[in-house]
Amino acid sequence: MKGVDLADRAGRQIRVGLDVGGTKIDAVAVDPAGEILGRLRRPTGWGEDAVLENIALAVGTLAEQVGLSASDIRSVGVGIPGLVDADSGRVLHAVNLGVDSLDLAVRAERALGVPFRVENDVKAAALGAAALRGVSGSMAYLNLGTGVAAGIVMDGRIWRGARGTAGEVGHISVDPNGRLCGCGQRGCIETFCGGGALAKAWGRPGSLPVRDILDAADTGDSEAVALRDDLYRGAAAAVRVLVLSADVETVIIGGGLTSLGERLEQGIRHALLAGAEASPFMRSLHLDERIELLPAGSPAAAFGAALVGAAITEKESVSHG
Amino acid sequence: MKGVDLADRAGRQIRVGLDVGGTKIDAVAVDPAGEILGRLRRPTGWGEDAVLENIALAVGTLAEQVGLSASDIRSVGVGIPGLVDADSGRVLHAVNLGVDSLDLAVRAERALGVPFRVENDVKAAALGAAALRGVSGSMAYLNLGTGVAAGIVMDGRIWRGARGTAGEVGHISVDPNGRLCGCGQRGCIETFCGGGALAKAWGRPGSLPVRDILDAADTGDSEAVALRDDLYRGAAAAVRVLVLSADVETVIIGGGLTSLGERLEQGIRHALLAGAEASPFMRSLHLDERIELLPAGSPAAAFGAALVGAAITEKESVSHG
């Protein structure tokens, strides 16, 4: 791992990273060379106590699977939705997890005897994506999931901004006459390319509504075609916003919608090309060449969480025992 | 001047800064304590040779006015529109100046015997605004002039981004059915709040068309009211984009349209409040409290150019004689 030194004294050499999602926890154990030694997924549960318990179980089960004892684990990093105070390790308003307020780092450390560090899930995933793809300069990680948000990484560091809204491109309105967003505004980027908004607009049953939309669009269903266009155009708008404000070199796209694979990547690429057709300025940016899709099932988010944990300083780590 | 050390050995203590605009050059001489010793304005001219000659005349006349000889000037910083290669000091595509390609730093140094450094005008102004307003964290400088662009300053340094498009929020489309932009896209932020686009949409004679629009709107002219709303809503959209992507703490608004003063500031503030009315998330950002208007005639842009020149290292300065 370029730029990340996970090496350590004997014992406590392993970094664990957890990506805590709305339905499941993705956990990886990372050795000092940055290699993933083991990975598992288990349900997240609902509410403060259940989430905490399942985090502890994920760490314990993963350690057992890899053949580690607690004393081999140097840190646990957690990426989790909601408003995260990275200094205190407290999580607020993780509504998809039923968590209103959880003193996660303190309680998890008490339970497991290992130093914890907590970060917003998209920011952690951004760090992981930058590391896994070997990006050394600037990049944004655009997460297309139920909602839409981005994390920005500059020279290997998460860019926090002034008040925690860096990369919140999902709630930039790009159409005053667009659909109403959950945030109360109209035409937010998230209303175009968020899985939740698309499923709601589609309104038909099915466990993978965005995949259903693409399949129906392929058969010519006009409503599905319109929503498919929204998806691609919304994601293209997010890419444009990230480049025309933060001017990142690359936009790496991750999140649940990446399970759509090639169709999604080509769709966004075509939308970027179509948007640049009439504009020499936009063409000069070559945005279609500056996006990358993470492979479905990429461990980037959990790996990034492990890197977040690895940023715990020696002093903090010692004081935690 | 916090964070900027202009002090120097005897002689060559003065930094000159030039803001080269479409019609005039604004020039300041700054002493080692960051005080502005003198200021003058003179016409820019048209085309490479005229612009270069007027830059040299601005420096010479300012020096004379303040009572300096060339040997008192340590550096000249120039903020100029167009695509600027800050390393070589070359300017490309400054269309408003009739400059296609100008090797500005090299030619000006040869003419005056003083080290020159060149920067994009909005980026230089951003640096100057941050310094004059004493902003230590993150801020964006939103320039509302003929066109619309922003510069981002983090911890006192211009944020360059990967390919020179950081802060180019003027060409983010916020309405797919909006007016056609000079860049070829529709509904760009610049089509709402750029002085050029507003003047074109207004289409009536007058030397200060945006002021005419506001005056006519005050009398109830419906076309003027619509354009006035566009101005305020477009600027509010730019503020939202800057906070929801780069998450700057403050947005300082400058540029020619600041001659509209209080009306402009209150209008943008009301548009931000109106946009947040239906959205608890947007209300939580308190955007209306995070904007500031530079006073009309502020020397921020020229002062920022002087800071750009001050960034010439000792080594470069010595090598220039």
Side-chain angles (χ1 to χ4, degrees):
Chain A
M1 284 300 318
K2 216 169 53 173
V4 179
D5 183 9
L6 295 167
D8 196 9
R9 62 188 187 282
R12 295 206 176 275
Q13 296 211 4
I14 304 304
R15 308 293 191 172
V16 169
L18 306 183
D19 178 45
V20 179
T23 54
K24 63 181 190 317
I25 296 171
D26 185 13
V28 295
V30 180
D31 79 6
E35 293 301 315
I36 294 177
L37 302 179
R39 182 177 185 188
L40 68 77
R41 291 182 176 113
R42 51 166 299 120
T44 303
W46 178 261
E48 281 100 22
D49 292 340
V51 169
L52 188 71
E53 188 185 341
N54 284 312
I55 284 175
L57 281 170
V59 175
T61 313
L62 179 66
E64 198 175 341
Q65 180 183 304
V66 182
L68 301 171
S69 69
S71 66
D72 295 319
I73 300 174
R74 174 140 189 200
S75 63
V76 179
V78 181
I80 192 165
L83 201 61
V84 173
D85 179 341
D87 289 332
S88 69
R90 180 181 281 276
V91 182
L92 298 173
H93 312 311
V95 287
N96 291 341
L97 314 179
V99 169
D100 183 49
S101 170
L102 173 60
D103 213 358
L104 176 54
V106 170
R107 289 182 62 187
E109 281 177 22
R110 200 184 300 143
L112 290 174
V114 176
F116 267 70
R117 179 158 290 223
V118 187
E119 182 54 271
N120 169 269
D121 58 344
V122 175
K123 289 191 173 71
L127 198 59
L132 287 178
R133 305 300 277 224
V135 175
S136 55
S138 61
M139 60 147 268
Y141 168 80
L142 175 62
N143 195 77
L144 301 179
T146 305
V148 174
I152 297 170
V153 175
M154 296 277 175
D155 299 324
R157 296 182 60 187
I158 297 170
W159 181 23
R160 308 202 153 276
R163 301 199 189 181
T165 60
E168 285 287 355
V169 296
H171 297 293
I172 290 173
S173 169
V174 292
D175 186 351
N177 303 309
R179 279 187 286 271
L180 192 63
C181 182
C183 83
Q185 300 182 103
R186 268 197 188 276
C188 288
I189 283 177
E190 186 167 299
T191 66
F192 286 86
C193 60
L198 286 167
K200 193 175 160 200
W202 181 235
R204 304 183 202 176
S207 60
L208 294 163
V210 182
R211 188 181 297 274
D212 294 346
I213 291 169
L214 294 201
D215 291 345
D218 285 344
T219 69
D221 179 304
S222 63
E223 198 189 336
V225 167
L227 290 175
R228 180 181 65 182
D229 287 354
D230 282 351
L231 164 60
Y232 298 153
R233 284 191 293 131
V239 171
R240 277 193 291 269
V241 164
L242 288 164
V243 170
L244 292 178
S245 57
D247 190 17
V248 292
E249 174 64 26
T250 309
V251 179
I252 296 183
I253 297 168
L257 296 196
T258 58
S259 68
L260 301 168
E262 186 68 11
R263 282 194 288 184
L264 180 67
E265 185 164 12
Q266 287 309 319
I268 299 171
R269 197 157 271 145
H270 288 145
L272 287 167
L273 285 168
E277 225 160 60
S279 172
F281 170 61
M282 293 307 294
R283 278 203 303 282
S284 76
L285 302 181
H286 301 286
L287 295 180
D288 59 300
E289 301 166 12
R290 290 163 74 177
I291 62 166
E292 283 180 38
L293 208 68
L294 283 184
S298 164
F303 188 79
L307 295 179
V308 165
I312 297 175
T313 64
E314 185 68 14
K315 193 172 157 222
E316 286 174 278
S317 178
V318 169
S319 79
H320 284 301
Chain B
M1 284 300 318
K2 215 167 55 171
V4 179
D5 182 10
L6 294 167
D8 197 9
R9 61 189 187 282
R12 293 207 177 275
Q13 296 210 3
I14 304 304
R15 309 292 192 172
V16 168
L18 306 182
D19 178 46
V20 179
T23 54
K24 63 179 188 320
I25 296 172
D26 185 13
V28 295
V30 179
D31 77 7
E35 294 300 315
I36 294 177
L37 302 178
R39 182 177 185 189
L40 68 77
R41 290 182 177 111
R42 52 167 296 120
T44 302
W46 178 261
E48 281 99 23
D49 291 340
V51 168
L52 187 72
E53 188 185 340
N54 284 311
I55 283 174
L57 281 170
V59 175
T61 314
L62 178 66
E64 199 176 344
Q65 180 183 305
V66 182
L68 301 171
S69 69
S71 66
D72 295 319
I73 299 174
R74 175 141 187 201
S75 63
V76 179
V78 180
I80 191 165
L83 201 61
V84 173
D85 180 339
D87 289 330
S88 69
R90 179 181 280 276
V91 182
L92 298 173
H93 312 312
V95 286
N96 292 342
L97 313 180
V99 169
D100 183 49
S101 170
L102 173 59
D103 213 359
L104 176 54
V106 169
R107 288 182 62 187
E109 282 176 22
R110 200 184 301 144
L112 290 174
V114 177
F116 267 70
R117 179 158 291 223
V118 186
E119 182 55 271
N120 169 269
D121 58 345
V122 175
K123 290 190 173 70
L127 198 60
L132 288 179
R133 306 299 277 225
V135 175
S136 56
S138 60
M139 60 147 269
Y141 168 79
L142 175 62
N143 196 77
L144 301 179
T146 305
V148 175
I152 297 170
V153 175
M154 297 276 174
D155 300 323
R157 295 184 59 188
I158 296 170
W159 181 23
R160 306 202 154 276
R163 302 199 189 183
T165 61
E168 285 287 355
V169 296
H171 297 293
I172 290 174
S173 168
V174 292
D175 186 349
N177 303 309
R179 277 187 287 272
L180 191 63
C181 181
C183 84
Q185 301 183 102
R186 272 202 183 273
C188 288
I189 284 177
E190 186 167 301
T191 65
F192 286 87
C193 60
L198 286 167
K200 194 175 158 198
W202 181 234
R204 304 183 202 178
S207 60
L208 294 163
V210 183
R211 188 180 298 274
D212 293 345
I213 290 169
L214 296 201
D215 290 345
D218 285 345
T219 68
D221 178 305
S222 63
E223 197 189 337
V225 167
L227 290 175
R228 180 182 65 183
D229 287 354
D230 282 350
L231 165 60
Y232 297 154
R233 284 189 296 133
V239 171
R240 278 193 292 268
V241 164
L242 288 163
V243 170
L244 292 177
S245 57
D247 190 18
V248 292
E249 175 65 27
T250 309
V251 179
I252 297 182
I253 298 167
L257 297 196
T258 57
S259 69
L260 300 167
E262 186 67 13
R263 281 195 289 183
L264 180 66
E265 185 164 12
Q266 287 309 319
I268 299 172
R269 197 158 270 145
H270 287 145
L272 287 167
L273 286 169
E277 226 160 59
S279 173
F281 171 62
M282 293 307 294
R283 278 204 303 280
S284 76
L285 302 182
H286 301 287
L287 295 179
D288 59 300
E289 301 165 11
R290 291 163 73 178
I291 62 166
E292 282 180 37
L293 209 68
L294 283 183
S298 163
F303 188 79
L307 295 180
V308 165
I312 297 176
T313 65
E314 185 67 14
K315 192 173 155 222
E316 286 174 278
S317 179
V318 169
S319 79
H320 283 300

